[in-house]
């Protein structure tokens, strides 16, 4: 199973005090680059949600945003009744002791800081008392994201599998063409050696000629590269079908494939074989582009 690193998830929840909406987005990144943006009232939950994200998402640039829409009446200021009456009694007592005129309009005292409380803070404090609910909210949003990542991952897998089949076919053609090119190259080397010997009237026994031909053949023999490419493609297929998504393993295999293909291209001078090398590299690059988006 492959998981895409690109995705979006969103969940909303109704509470007595309002509605909470959590949105989470993910794009490509080699490591865990996570961030959380919360309303000021819930800022204390930031580390808790970050740790939850790290435990559920392997890598990517992930942004989680939570917004709150407060219900009507939830932001009406709340009077600190005990504080108000205490202050009123103190002022009345001081005025009486000093023979001062005392205004009985108690509403004037509401201008004093601290006697009117922001009800939003009070509601938020009530919401924070059950912090586990926010774990559930964040987890549901992440699960929504993961569903999209899984769906996108299936599409990536389908495209990668098609390119892998094409690469295997090209590799088989390269193997067949190399065998033909190898025999032709060996005969060409033998002919050149013979021509040089005849031109300079030199003598060299067949064993020596065979040794020179063998040494030359070893320099452009690609049987090992072909065997490793076959091993890489087989392993690539296994990793792609595994239960756990592993974009890093696939990326490593792609790098190894590119190295083997480049080596074969540098060893074999046959024009048709070199064109197959170009086709193979093009196919691998297409796979590489897709894999960059795999978690």
């Amino acid at each position: 199973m492959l998981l895409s690193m690109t995705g979006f998830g969103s969940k909303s929840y109704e509470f007595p005090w309002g509605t909470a909406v959590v949105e989470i987005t993910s794009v490509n990144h080699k490591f865990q680059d996570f961030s959380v943006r919360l309303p000021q009232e819930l800022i204390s939950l930031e580390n808790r949600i970050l740790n939850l994200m790290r435990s559920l998402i392997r890598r990517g640039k992930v942004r989680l945003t939570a917004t709150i829409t407060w219900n009507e009446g939830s932001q009406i200021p709340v009077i600190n009744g005990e504080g108000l009456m205490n202050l009123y009694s103190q002022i009345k007592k001081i005025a009486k002791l000093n023979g001062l005129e005392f205004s009985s309009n108690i509403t004037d005292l509401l201008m004093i800081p601290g006697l009117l409380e922001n009800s939003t803070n009070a509601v938020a404090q009530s919401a924070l008392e059950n912090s586990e609910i926010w774990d559930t909210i964040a987890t549901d949003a992440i699960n929504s994201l993961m569903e999209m990542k899984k769906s996108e991952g299936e599409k990536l897998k389908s495209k990668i599998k098609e390119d892998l089949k094409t690469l295997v076919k090209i590799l088989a053609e390269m193997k067949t063409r190399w065998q033909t090119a190898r025999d032709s190259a060996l005969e060409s080397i033998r002919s050149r050696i013979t021509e040089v010997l005849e031109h300079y009237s030199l003598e060299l026994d067949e064993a020596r000629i065979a040794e020179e031909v063998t040494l030359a053949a070893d320099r452009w023999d690609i049987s090992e590269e072909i065997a490793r490419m076959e091993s890489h493609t087989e392993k690539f297929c296994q990793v792609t079908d595994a239960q756990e998504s592993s974009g890093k393993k696939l990326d490593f295999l792609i790098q190894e494939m590119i190295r083997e293909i480049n080596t074969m291209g540098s060893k074999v001078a046959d024009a048709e074989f070199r064109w197959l090398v170009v086709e193979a590299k093009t196919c691998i690059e297409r796979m590489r582009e897709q894999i960059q988006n795999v978690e």
Side-chain angles (χ1 to χ4, degrees):
M1 176 182 68
L2 297 184
L3 293 175
S4 171
M5 278 195 285
T6 301
F8 172 81
S10 178
K11 286 293 179 180
S12 63
Y13 294 84
E14 298 291 337
F15 293 94
W17 41 262
T19 302
V21 178
V22 176
E23 295 181 344
I24 183 169
T25 60
S26 176
V27 294
N28 298 0
H29 198 278
K30 291 183 178 181
F31 309 105
Q32 286 187 338
D33 183 3
F34 299 162
S35 66
V36 174
R37 180 176 294 177
L38 302 175
Q40 186 62 37
E41 297 82 3
L42 306 178
I43 199 67
S44 61
L45 295 173
E46 182 175 344
N47 287 335
R48 186 186 187 100
I49 294 178
L50 274 174
N51 290 333
L52 181 64
M53 292 168 62
R54 293 188 182 105
S55 67
L56 297 177
I57 305 174
R58 296 183 62 184
R59 65 182 180 131
K61 188 174 183 178
V62 185
R63 301 289 179 262
L64 183 144
T65 303
T67 57
I68 293 178
T69 302
W70 302 99
N71 289 337
E72 291 185 8
S74 63
Q75 291 184 301
I76 296 176
V78 176
I79 298 175
N80 183 352
E82 182 179 353
L84 177 62
M85 294 310 299
N86 184 34
L87 180 61
Y88 180 82
S89 298
Q90 290 185 56
I91 294 175
K92 184 177 180 180
K93 182 178 179 181
I94 294 172
K96 184 177 181 181
L97 290 174
N98 292 277
L100 300 174
E101 184 180 350
F102 175 67
S103 174
S104 61
N105 189 357
I106 195 172
T107 58
D108 293 340
L109 299 179
L110 296 179
M111 301 298 293
I112 299 176
L115 294 182
L116 284 180
E117 297 179 348
N118 189 333
S119 61
T120 298
N121 292 335
V123 174
Q125 185 61 38
S126 175
L128 291 173
E129 289 177 358
N130 184 17
S131 57
E132 288 77 10
I133 188 63
W134 296 100
D135 290 346
T136 302
I137 294 174
T139 299
D140 287 347
I142 292 172
N143 287 338
S144 175
L145 169 70
M146 297 303 288
E147 285 298 318
M148 184 173 181
K149 287 161 66 75
K150 183 178 180 181
S151 176
E152 292 296 317
E154 288 300 316
K155 296 177 183 178
L156 288 173
K157 181 178 178 180
S158 178
K159 293 180 181 179
I160 292 172
K161 283 278 192 177
E162 290 179 6
D163 286 328
L164 184 61
K165 289 180 180 179
T166 301
L167 179 61
V168 171
K169 182 179 178 181
I170 294 173
L171 185 60
E173 294 177 6
M174 293 174 68
K175 188 174 182 179
T176 301
R177 181 58 193 174
W178 174 69
Q179 292 174 348
T180 302
R182 175 193 59 188
D183 296 339
S184 176
L186 287 175
E187 184 58 36
S188 176
I189 292 174
R190 175 181 288 276
S191 298
R192 289 180 183 179
I193 293 175
T194 301
E195 289 176 4
V196 170
L197 292 176
E198 290 178 351
H199 180 77
Y200 292 102
S201 300
L202 300 175
E203 293 185 2
L204 197 65
D205 58 30
E206 284 297 321
R208 181 57 179 168
I209 294 176
E211 182 180 351
E212 291 298 326
V213 171
T214 300
L215 290 174
D218 286 341
R219 288 194 294 269
W220 47 260
D221 181 80
I222 61 169
S223 56
E224 291 184 4
E225 285 80 4
I226 289 178
R228 284 195 291 268
M229 275 295 295
E230 291 174 338
S231 176
H232 292 334
T233 54
E234 182 179 350
K235 184 63 177 178
F236 192 94
C237 186
Q238 292 175 1
V239 175
T240 303
D241 292 332
Q243 290 297 317
E244 182 179 347
S245 181
S246 184
K248 288 186 177 181
K249 287 183 180 179
L250 294 176
D251 187 58
F252 171 77
L253 288 170
I254 284 292
Q255 294 180 40
E256 292 299 302
M257 290 180 184
I258 292 176
R259 186 176 69 175
E260 300 298 345
I261 289 295
N262 285 336
T263 301
M264 287 190 280
S266 65
K267 284 186 174 183
V268 182
D270 180 73
E272 185 175 339
F273 185 90
R274 282 178 175 258
W275 179 248
L276 290 173
V277 168
V278 172
E279 290 186 340
K281 291 175 70 173
T282 302
C283 185
I284 293 173
E285 283 300 327
R286 286 200 304 268
M287 294 168 62
R288 187 176 193 173
E289 289 178 2
Q290 300 296 334
I291 289 168
Q292 297 305 311
N293 198 36
V294 175
E295 183 177 299

